[in-house]
Each structure stands twice: as structure tokens, then as C-alpha cells.
Amino acid sequence: MKKYIDLKSSNDYSDLQEAGQIIRSGGLILFPTETVYGLGANGLDEVAVKKIFEAKGRSSDNPLILHISDKEMLNDIATDISEIEHKLMDAFWPGPFTIILNRKPVVPNIVTASLDTVGIRMPSNEIANKLIAYSGVPIAAPSANISGKPSGTNISDIFDELSDKVDCIIDGGSTDVGLESTVVKVIDGVPTILRPGKITPEDIKIVVGQVKIDKHVFSKLEDGEKVLSPGMKYKHYAPNSKCVLVYSDNNDLLINKVNEISSSYKTPLILSTTENVSKYENKLVIDIGSKYNLDEIAQNIFTDLRKVDKFKPDIVIIEGVKQEGLGLAIMNRLVRACSHNYIEI
Ligand code: AMP
Ligand code: MG
């Protein structure tokens, strides 16, 4: 029978030793991290990692992140680490921060999609940390979801799509951050954000004085264009329903636009910030959280996106937030959920 470990309200982590054994013997595990749930396997075992790609239906040219529990594990898998890279890891690990480093040959090609670099993160979630430590190997883990769908931030959201495909489920309740890690590559000495997350450009700037944001964080990839982060090429987070993202710094203009769009559809669904819910009277609305509490919006946004298809809307209109701090990461996910169908007024 599949192993189910319930750690929602217990901190008796002794069962994680058996979970570590499952990883070592080539099994797949659903486990919580502080960002989103991961679908993990032994990152040094090519056969085990292949199962991740199969379970998710993930394209083989989309590399995985290796998760480590302490900095000693780093030297086994990465090489030629610069001072600035060390500085970033020391500042943001353990935590929701992934760094792209030169890889060692021991890392299988399947993990890196044959790139000469590897993404590495040290999660701060205690369950994740203990699981990796008991495994004794880096755990390769993409977000737990079928490719293209919103990432899983609690077990009930992903149970139907993944439970049959794994050997063990570790339930740690809802994840804290709710969005995947910030992915950074240091290019010509400058930390470049390939995917925004809880660690913001401002946070990085404070540590090393400079930061860049890769243009593909927001712009649509043109045919044949080379991309630094292969994951940016793929559809992600998208409901089946047609979605449009709308934002304005001027709240009245934003409300007017949302009302104008919704009035030309029969069964619109609006994802509204708490402050604006009452402005969409007699309309179907999901409250995504307060625009003054971006942590709350980040925590719930994937669950909200998973809800929308149930209403069978002919359009989903999503209110955006200011692209500042964590707002950058929220907007990156929403722009992609809407397949770049974005109106800014
Ligand atoms: P996920 O596993 O779903 O959190 O996605 C991992 C993200 O990290 C994807 O967008 C990948 O493209 C990116 N990534 C992983 N490894 C590398 C790498 N070696 N170079 C650039 N991006 C990477
Ligand atoms: Mg993902």
C-alpha cells in the first residue's frame, strides 16, 4: 500500500526515515516545501528521475531543481562557484531561492536537460529538510502538478492527479509561500532573475548591490528565440477556461475595465482583490485576497486558479496587482495563466 505520512499537525518526523529509504530505493514522493509541493525522486538516479517526467507529462528539455539539506551536499553536484554565488546562497538559504550553478558530471543529463548547469535549492521547510537529510542524496523535485496546471500548494488540490503515481505522500498542510522559488543565474557577475518568487529583486540588490530581471519573465517567447530558463517556454498555471488579466494603478479604471469586459460575456467569473469584490455586484466573484497583503494572494492563487473551471465560465477576468516586491512573482504567474492575454491601463 502507498505510504501516507500525516504531518499536518504533528512534528514527530520519525516516519520520514522510511520516506528517505523510499527515495534511496528509486521511489517517488509528494512532499511539502515552503514554496509549493514537490514531486521528488533521487536526483542522482536517472531511472528514478525519469519517473518524475512521466508522472507529470513534463517535456524532457525542461530541467529539474536539485534540493539539498546542507551546504556540504553542494560540493558533490556543483563546481566553480564564485564569491557572489556563495554570498547569495549564504543570504537566502535555507529558503525559497534557487541558484543555477555549473554542474558536476555525477548529475545525470536527465536532471539538467543536458545543460552544463544545474538548479539547486536548500528548502527551509523542516519536513523537506529532514526528508532530504534522511535520503542522503539531493532530491530532484519539480512542482507537484501535471505539466501546465497550477502548482500544488496542498495535498487535496493534487491528490486526484498524482496520488496513483507516487509511492509516498507526505501531507504537511498548506505551503507558506504558495509560489515556486526565485530562480537566479549569475551572468557576467550580475545576478539575473529567471523566475521571480518570494525573494525579490530588492532583496537580492541589498545583498550584492545589483540585479537584473530576465526579459522572459514577462515577455512572450518568440518562435525560435533562445531562453535562459527552459521552463519559460511552456504553458503553466492555466485553467481550461479563457482568461484575461487586467491591471491599472488607478483602481476606478481597473474596476471599469473589469465590468466592461464581463458585460460582453454570458457567464463571466471575476477573480477580484478583497477591496473590489463589492464593485462587481450580481457577478460571480472569487476573492483572491487583499491587495495590501500580497503574501495572502500568493498563498492562495494556485488554489483559486484550480477552482475556476468548475464554474464553467466563458471568460475569467483576473485583477492584477502592482509589479513590485512579491507582486512581480504573482503577476508573472498570472500573465502565464492567461497565456499573455494581459491588459494594462
Ligand atoms: P519547477 O521544477 O516546476 O519548479 O520548474 C523549475 C524551473 O527552473 C524551470 O523553469 C526550469 O527551466 C528552471 N531551471 C532548472 N534548471 C535550470 C538550469 N540549469 N538552467 C536554467 N533554468 C533552470
Ligand atoms: Mg512547475
Side-chain angles (χ1 to χ4, degrees):
M1 209 187 87
K2 194 184 311 294
K3 175 105 184 142
Y4 179 82
I5 303 175
D6 186 356
L7 294 176
K8 284 198 293 296
S9 48
S10 151
N11 52 8
D12 173 6
Y13 296 139
S14 51
D15 274 359
L16 292 178
Q17 295 191 33
E18 193 183 335
Q21 182 56 44
I22 292 173
I23 291 285
R24 265 203 308 281
S25 55
L28 281 190
I29 299 196
L30 281 182
F31 69 102
T33 80
E34 70 277 19
T35 57
V36 298
Y37 271 78
L39 176 61
N42 179 350
L44 303 181
D45 176 346
E46 200 176 320
V47 177
V49 173
K50 191 156 180 267
K51 293 185 201 162
I52 297 178
F53 283 88
E54 285 165 0
K56 282 188 60 116
R58 183 172 172 116
S59 168
S60 60
D61 69 353
N62 192 1
L64 304 181
I65 293 169
L66 289 183
H67 295 74
I68 59 175
S69 53
D70 59 60
K71 233 182 151 188
E72 261 165 48
M73 274 185 167
L74 185 65
N75 299 320
D76 300 337
I77 51 180
T79 183
D80 302 326
I81 304 170
S82 68
E83 204 176 309
I84 180 169
E85 287 164 338
H86 274 297
K87 226 172 163 177
L88 290 164
M89 290 184 275
D90 292 342
F92 301 120
W93 280 359
F97 179 80
T98 297
I99 188 154
I100 309 293
L101 297 173
N102 293 312
R103 69 147 155 165
K104 282 195 171 163
V106 68
V107 180
N109 277 328
I110 190 168
V111 169
T112 66
S114 300
L115 296 171
D116 48 18
T117 54
V118 58
I120 305 176
R121 178 162 96 86
M122 189 194 295
S124 61
N125 177 290
E126 231 182 313
I127 298 171
N129 182 278
K130 289 240 157 32
L131 174 67
I132 302 162
Y134 286 141
S135 305
V137 290
I139 294 187
S143 55
N145 55 276
I146 296 293
S147 281
K149 294 280 157 217
S151 305
T153 52
N154 59 72
I155 289 294
S156 65
D157 278 359
I158 47 176
F159 192 86
D160 289 348
E161 63 192 57
L162 289 173
S163 65
D164 284 350
K165 301 179 176 175
V166 298
D167 303 290
C168 173
I169 296 173
I170 306 173
D171 192 344
S174 291
T175 56
D176 289 342
V177 177
L179 299 178
E180 308 86 343
S181 58
T182 305
V183 177
V184 166
K185 184 175 186 181
V186 177
I187 302 172
D188 297 330
V190 183
T192 305
I193 295 181
L194 307 187
R195 176 175 73 185
K198 172 78 180 164
I199 304 297
T200 64
E202 295 81 0
D203 295 332
I204 293 168
K205 208 167 172 192
I206 289 170
V207 175
V208 290
Q210 49 183 346
V211 65
K212 266 193 195 157
I213 300 171
D214 181 50
K215 72 171 187 169
H216 292 118
V217 163
F218 283 105
S219 72
K220 204 171 168 179
L221 197 65
E222 302 301 331
D223 277 350
E225 203 179 353
K226 207 170 173 293
V227 66
L228 288 168
S229 172
M232 291 293 185
K233 285 191 297 204
Y234 294 102
K235 189 172 162 179
H236 209 338
Y237 320 115
N240 294 324
S241 318
K242 181 182 168 192
C243 299
V244 57
L245 177 64
V246 185
Y247 180 70
S248 173
D249 279 333
N250 179 323
N251 198 43
D252 291 334
L253 290 182
L254 171 62
I255 294 162
N256 288 346
K257 193 70 190 175
V258 171
N259 274 318
E260 179 197 314
I261 298 172
S262 68
S263 64
S264 50
Y265 286 85
K266 277 200 190 99
T267 51
L269 170 66
I270 300 168
L271 267 58
S272 165
T273 51
T274 308
E275 291 75 18
N276 288 350
V277 168
S278 64
K279 309 287 193 239
Y280 308 124
E281 256 183 7
N282 304 320
K283 297 204 169 114
L284 199 54
V285 179
I286 293 178
D287 182 346
I288 61 169
S290 168
K291 66 177 175 184
Y292 302 111
N293 186 353
L294 295 183
D295 285 319
E296 181 191 9
I297 295 183
Q299 269 160 9
N300 299 319
I301 197 70
F302 288 148
T303 294
D304 292 336
L305 287 170
R306 281 174 174 273
K307 280 181 201 156
V308 307
D309 288 330
K310 290 182 197 131
F311 295 96
K312 300 200 179 358
D314 55 359
I315 186 80
V316 182
I317 309 163
I318 308 178
E319 277 192 1
V321 296
K322 205 172 176 61
Q323 281 177 34
E324 241 175 40
L326 187 56
L328 188 71
I330 294 170
M331 288 297 274
N332 165 267
R333 304 317 190 267
L334 289 177
V335 162
R336 299 188 64 201
C338 296
S339 305
H340 293 270
N341 189 11
Y342 175 43
I343 301 169
E344 185 169 340
I345 312 142

